[in-house]
Amino acid sequence: MSTSNKELCSKEAAMMAPTESPIIHLASRGISPVILLIGLYVFFHGHYSPGGGFQGGVLLAAAILLLRLSLGTSLSQPIMPSWITLRLSALGALIFAGIGLVAILFGGNFLDYHYLPMPWLDPAYLRYYGILMIEVGVTITVMTTLVAIYDDLLGC
Amino acid sequence: MKTLQYFLLLAFLGILIVAVTNLPPRGDVTAPVHQHVNPAGTVVAGTYFIQNAYKDTKTPNMVTVILADYRAFDTLGEVIVVFAGGIACFFILNVGRRKP
């Protein structure tokens, strides 16, 4: 833990963006929501086309990292705070494993979506929504882990 | 020591060449992976996946069904690996600097 890192991450230094170019600021702030939207599309369309949790999570992380790179760490905190990244990552893995444990609690094998407690659904659609729920966990874990590794490399 | 390394590399190269030349040709319909039953006489797993993926889950994308349903335990391992990578980077790179 060196003092130079502390100076780099202090409030005044971090409030300044790495670049002062308004073109880069405007372009990244305009492109980032589009990448977020495409990431959500890739994630939710994983049932019907190539895509799914890993790819969608990487796209969502790319949108946040674009803001981190262009606006600086401090100004891009509201969209994804640094302190929450690893906690959300653990939450995503917990969602995945927790759905498996719920299936055990209701009498099935580990990750057997047939036993999820949603009796108003067909067995086939039970599996459909089981896949969707574990993909949510995969997406959260992949997205937040990539952002967390970037923040760790920066030391902020 | 250097010659030993070269010999090891050559040995692995020989193993690779033997393995690659013994593969069935591309698109060979008589290859074991394209058969309904494998040489041991049991049904190939891929046949079941192709025939029943949509019936079981109402999901048209067969790859998603195999990744997230039939082999969900494998995907759970992948997610744990990603999470472990994040944790390792946190403990190696971030020596008490992150403030909550």
Side-chain angles (χ1 to χ4, degrees):
Chain A
M1 186 162 118
S2 60
T3 53
S4 64
N5 269 318
K6 272 200 154 172
E7 285 166 11
L8 186 73
C9 301
S10 70
K11 201 84 176 177
E12 300 80 33
M15 280 302 281
M16 285 197 308
T19 172
E20 296 293 327
S21 163
I23 300 172
I24 293 177
H25 279 202
L26 203 62
S28 65
R29 282 161 60 195
I31 290 173
S32 177
V34 181
I35 300 178
L36 276 177
L37 202 61
I38 293 174
L40 284 177
Y41 164 75
V42 167
F43 158 58
F44 279 111
H45 220 252
H47 280 65
Y48 304 100
S49 67
F54 287 97
Q55 295 91 330
V58 167
L59 273 169
L60 293 177
I64 295 166
L65 288 183
L66 179 65
L67 287 181
R68 283 269 203 279
L69 283 169
S70 62
L71 298 182
T73 305
S74 178
L75 282 178
S76 65
Q77 287 294 308
I79 188 170
M80 171 74 67
S82 289
W83 61 270
I84 209 173
T85 48
L86 271 181
R87 291 172 171 86
L88 274 182
S89 178
L91 178 74
L94 196 67
I95 288 174
F96 199 139
I99 284 171
L101 291 178
V102 165
I104 284 186
L105 280 182
F106 285 85
N109 291 322
F110 187 63
L111 283 170
D112 193 353
Y113 311 129
H114 184 78
Y115 292 93
L116 289 182
M118 292 187 291
W120 61 90
L121 287 174
D122 275 0
Y125 282 102
L126 212 54
R127 292 184 168 273
Y128 181 95
Y129 287 110
I131 291 174
L132 189 66
M133 282 188 285
I134 67 157
E135 295 274 3
V136 169
V138 172
T139 309
I140 293 175
T141 298
V142 171
M143 170 179 71
T144 52
T145 302
L146 287 176
V147 178
I149 289 175
Y150 175 80
D151 285 342
D152 288 342
L153 283 174
L154 213 60
C156 287
Chain B
M1 205 59 205
K2 206 87 171 180
T3 48
L4 181 65
Q5 290 177 356
Y6 282 126
F7 271 119
L8 270 178
L9 278 179
L10 277 178
F12 278 115
L13 182 69
I15 292 173
L16 263 181
I17 287 174
V18 168
V20 167
T21 49
N22 281 330
L23 284 177
R26 201 178 149 86
D28 183 13
V29 288
T30 62
V33 287
H34 295 142
Q35 299 299 307
H36 202 71
V37 289
N38 54 27
T42 53
V43 178
V44 176
T47 310
Y48 176 82
F49 293 157
I50 292 172
Q51 285 174 348
N52 292 310
Y54 186 75
K55 228 186 301 174
D56 281 347
T57 64
K58 300 290 179 201
T59 302
N61 190 358
M62 210 181 294
V63 178
T64 299
V65 178
I66 291 178
L67 272 181
D69 192 339
Y70 295 128
R71 299 192 176 166
F73 199 68
D74 177 57
T75 310
L76 175 65
E78 290 173 18
V79 170
I80 299 291
V81 164
V82 170
F83 176 58
I87 290 285
C89 284
F90 175 77
F91 280 120
I92 290 173
L93 300 170
N94 195 333
V95 196
R97 282 199 295 262
R98 180 180 301 200
K99 296 180 290 289

